[in-house]
Amino acid sequence: MAPPITGTTDVSRIEAPVTAKAYMMCAFASFGGIFFGFDSGYISGVMGMPYFIHLYTGLPYPGADASDAEKKAFSLPASKKSLITSILSAGTFFGALIAGDLADWYGRRTTIIMGCAIFIVGVILQTASTGLGLLVAGRLIAGFGVGFVSAIIVLYMSEIAPKKVRGAIVSGYQFCITIGLLLAACVDYGTQDRMDTGSYRIPIAIQMLWALILATGLFLLPESPRYFVKKGNLEKAAQVLTRLRGEPEGSEYIQQELAEIVANHEHELSVIPQSGYFGSWMNCFTGGLRNPSSNLRRTILGTSLQMMQQWTGINFIFYFGTTFFQGLGTIKNPFLIGLVTTLVNVCTTPISFYTIERFGRRTILIYGALGMLICEFIVGIVGVTAGRESLHNNAAVSSQIAFICIYIAFFATTWGPGAWVLIGEIFPLPIRSRGVALSTASNWLWNCIIAVITPYMVGTDKGEANMGSKVFFVWGSLCTACFVYSYLLIPETKGLSLEQVDKMLEETNPRNSAKWVPHTTYASELGMVDEKLPPVHDEKVGSGNPAAVV
């Protein structure tokens, strides 16, 4: 039997105080970023390994006295680079879409564990591969698992994290992605010279460890309380909140937080038409473009935000950085430079834990886009100014690498975590799992598109663009679009509960959102404040009558 709950009119008391133990429970979920990052990062180094190139192309190893042209020719063709890299993103795109349904049917935590299991199957196939077919199939299956995790882990963390540190905790997910990228670069660096299948099998197989750790840890963590509210099981929701917030059973704080979640869900259900399976997906696109808080506007914001994150060009560095640095000609060990760039990513990302809560989501995304576009245009200008001599110009290459590292630092402290934080905050509970899934799918769709076309943009074979450093003019132009987009369309959600974000979107616009202050609660609007409402047994939330849901 669910306990009777009473809301509050005090906007500062809609969330219970949180203990250090509860913080650690919330933060552990971000571990999912490690195998996401490792899986994205290891392939860049593997595609530049001599044994891997020889195995997949049949080309003979170039000797020590080989010419520059012969050494340059010893590489995977653009078509294979494109296929091997992009197939993971294709699988992840569909995995993210499927995950939205599973998260509503079986729970957020269960869906993530299922994703870990699917991912392990894909890794096993990749590890066993000695040909392109099985490797591609394994990456496709692993992509489904990554899609499950990348879509739902952000949803899960956003729903269980305290509002005051929600941005920092979700940023921890991006930090774990950078750690995964760094670990992948370290493993690639250690196995690059092996002349056997261990050169690529070791980096691939290690990924299973990260999935096993995440799945095991999630067995010990609670389900999202908002999932139980959505399912109408308020007794379980109260139990989970008690555990998450470290409060005693029956705490007034827990009653008030639960009342606000229930009241907000009731409000959203009253304005969102309830229908069948396909209708529930269509709810993500209702409300019209003129309504600033409509589901359509939120879905466009979430999907375009993830598209813009990919437009920054960051995955060009982490997918194709090793082969790009090889083409610069003056770098003796491109694997080491790849390691340096991932190390910059890791070391600068924790800065976002502070800045995202101190300055807010909107502010850091605006200035992050500005910093990235400046760095990218400088890299492109240096490359064009040096001309053909840039291939053997140590000063030009060194300055390019320096500004690439500064560009990575801007991304790591702003757009890297910021985009993930926002998509977990902007959707109302009735469509949150599907909204986050659509946004994550958008990330992977553009990830896939960029992975497909980039090898042809910088490839040097006949019929390929051979842009070289000029490709950074493309990324710089796209970052300029990100800058304008941030200023015009991104709202400020710092310091608000997920329920308060809904009200903020109803009452203000993005450019004035930072000035908005909470002034009422959903519980008070639905009359759940002054009287104890009678408990019921597992009633389905959605009747529109507050007394029927508590």
Side-chain angles (χ1 to χ4, degrees):
M1 177 180 292
I5 58 175
T6 302
T8 177
T9 59
D10 187 350
V11 296
S12 66
R13 284 179 61 92
I14 62 168
E15 185 174 275
V18 189
T19 64
K21 178 183 176 182
Y23 282 127
M24 295 304 296
M25 292 170 63
C26 297
F28 175 80
S30 63
F31 187 86
I34 288 186
F35 82 78
F36 173 17
F38 193 100
D39 192 63
S40 298
Y42 86 87
I43 199 63
S44 173
V46 164
M47 290 192 299
M49 291 178 178
Y51 184 85
F52 187 83
I53 295 172
H54 171 70
L55 180 65
Y56 282 85
T57 65
L59 295 171
Y61 298 110
D65 57 348
S67 66
D68 289 344
E70 289 173 325
K71 291 178 180 178
K72 195 171 184 179
F74 184 69
S75 64
L76 287 176
S79 58
K80 288 188 177 180
K81 286 182 184 178
S82 177
L83 175 61
I84 292 172
T85 306
S86 64
I87 196 65
L88 176 85
S89 303
T92 309
F93 169 77
F94 291 105
L97 290 178
I98 296 170
D101 285 330
L102 296 178
D104 276 349
W105 295 339
Y106 304 112
R108 283 64 161 136
R109 186 186 63 161
T110 303
T111 302
I112 298 170
I113 294 172
M114 290 169 58
C116 292
I118 295 170
F119 177 78
I120 289 173
V121 173
V123 171
I124 291 172
L125 293 178
Q126 292 177 71
T127 305
S129 69
T130 56
L132 187 62
L134 192 57
L135 178 70
V136 168
R139 281 182 65 78
L140 179 64
I141 293 172
F144 274 91
V146 174
F148 281 27
V149 175
S150 62
I152 306 306
I153 201 79
V154 172
L155 170 65
Y156 178 67
M157 287 190 293
S158 297
E159 290 191 342
I160 68 173
K163 65 178 182 179
K164 291 182 179 179
V165 293
R166 186 176 59 242
I169 286 178
V170 178
S171 294
Y173 173 68
Q174 177 67 22
F175 180 54
C176 286
I177 291 176
T178 67
I179 293 177
L181 289 165
L182 177 62
L183 291 173
C186 291
V187 175
D188 285 346
Y189 185 73
T191 65
Q192 61 176 305
D193 295 325
R194 289 179 65 111
M195 291 302 170
D196 57 25
T197 57
S199 61
Y200 68 90
R201 280 179 169 165
I202 292 174
I204 293 174
I206 286 177
Q207 299 174 97
M208 287 188 280
L209 177 62
W210 319 130
L212 287 170
I213 292 174
L214 178 64
T216 302
L218 282 171
F219 273 115
L220 306 176
L221 293 180
E223 181 54 82
S224 163
R226 288 174 170 87
Y227 165 73
F228 287 122
V229 168
K230 184 177 177 67
K231 302 299 285 186
N233 191 339
L234 300 190
E235 183 176 1
K236 288 291 293 183
Q239 292 172 0
V240 168
L241 271 177
T242 298
R243 184 179 173 192
L244 281 172
R245 303 302 186 231
E247 288 285 313
E249 188 173 351
S251 164
E252 185 179 279
Y253 280 110
I254 297 299
Q255 289 189 40
Q256 292 171 347
E257 181 169 357
L258 182 57
E260 186 67 5
I261 295 172
V262 171
N264 171 255
H265 187 45
E266 279 295 295
H267 169 76
E268 295 295 343
L269 287 175
S270 69
V271 298
I272 298 176
Q274 300 305 295
S275 54
Y277 173 76
F278 292 105
S280 63
W281 271 104
M282 292 306 297
N283 284 338
C284 295
F285 306 96
T286 59
L289 287 173
R290 293 183 180 275
N291 181 355
S293 65
S294 70
N295 290 347
L296 175 62
R297 283 278 290 265
R298 299 190 202 206
T299 299
I300 291 175
L301 176 61
T303 53
S304 59
L305 188 66
Q306 290 294 311
M307 175 186 73
M308 291 288 179
Q309 189 198 58
Q310 291 303 302
W311 279 14
T312 62
I314 193 66
N315 279 331
F316 169 73
I317 301 298
F318 295 125
Y319 282 163
F320 304 105
T322 300
T323 52
F324 174 76
F325 292 131
Q326 283 174 337
L328 292 178
T330 59
I331 299 175
K332 294 181 180 179
N333 193 338
F335 287 87
L336 182 59
I337 302 301
L339 185 59
V340 170
T341 57
T342 54
L343 187 61
V344 171
N345 199 21
V346 170
C347 292
T348 54
T349 298
I351 297 173
S352 68
F353 298 174
Y354 170 76
T355 58
I356 203 165
E357 297 296 354
R358 173 63 179 82
F359 301 107
R361 288 68 156 149
R362 173 180 166 84
T363 301
I364 67 170
L365 291 183
I366 291 173
Y367 286 100
L370 179 63
M372 285 189 290
L373 73 88
I374 292 172
C375 290
E376 287 171 326
F377 279 126
I378 290 175
V379 172
I381 291 169
V382 170
V384 170
T385 303
R388 293 183 179 274
E389 295 180 359
S390 66
L391 292 177
H392 300 284
N393 187 328
N394 285 314
V397 171
S398 297
S399 64
Q400 284 181 303
I401 293 173
F403 277 102
I404 286 173
C405 288
I406 297 172
Y407 149 69
I408 291 172
F410 271 112
F411 175 85
T413 54
T414 60
W415 276 83
W420 291 110
V421 171
L422 273 166
I423 66 167
E425 297 177 330
I426 60 175
F427 293 102
L429 182 56
I431 66 164
R432 185 171 295 143
S433 64
R434 285 167 175 159
V436 173
L438 285 168
S439 301
T440 307
S442 172
N443 179 294
W444 287 108
L445 174 63
W446 285 96
N447 191 310
C448 181
I449 291 171
I450 290 172
V452 168
I453 66 175
T454 300
Y456 296 98
M457 293 168 66
V458 296
T460 57
D461 293 339
K462 184 178 180 181
E464 295 170 356
N466 191 17
M467 295 181 69
S469 297
K470 291 191 289 292
V471 74
F472 281 92
F473 286 119
V474 175
W475 307 134
S477 299
L478 292 174
C479 272
T480 302
C482 293
F483 173 74
V484 175
Y485 169 89
S486 301
Y487 178 76
L488 295 177
L489 298 177
I490 292 179
E492 183 54 72
T493 58
K494 179 188 73 169
L496 303 178
S497 71
L498 297 181
E499 289 68 41
Q500 288 172 339
V501 169
D502 285 345
K503 191 165 287 294
M504 178 270 292
L505 291 174
E506 292 175 359
E507 298 180 356
T508 188
N509 58 56
R511 280 178 286 177
N512 295 320
S513 56
K515 301 176 183 178
W516 186 85
V517 178
H519 52 84
T520 186
T521 66
Y522 281 102
S524 63
E525 291 180 2
L526 291 186
M528 297 169 61
V529 175
D530 295 325
E531 59 180 348
K532 299 282 186 179
L533 299 175
V536 297
H537 297 277
D538 294 338
E539 291 288 340
K540 190 70 175 177
V541 176
S543 65
N545 177 5
V549 299
V550 292

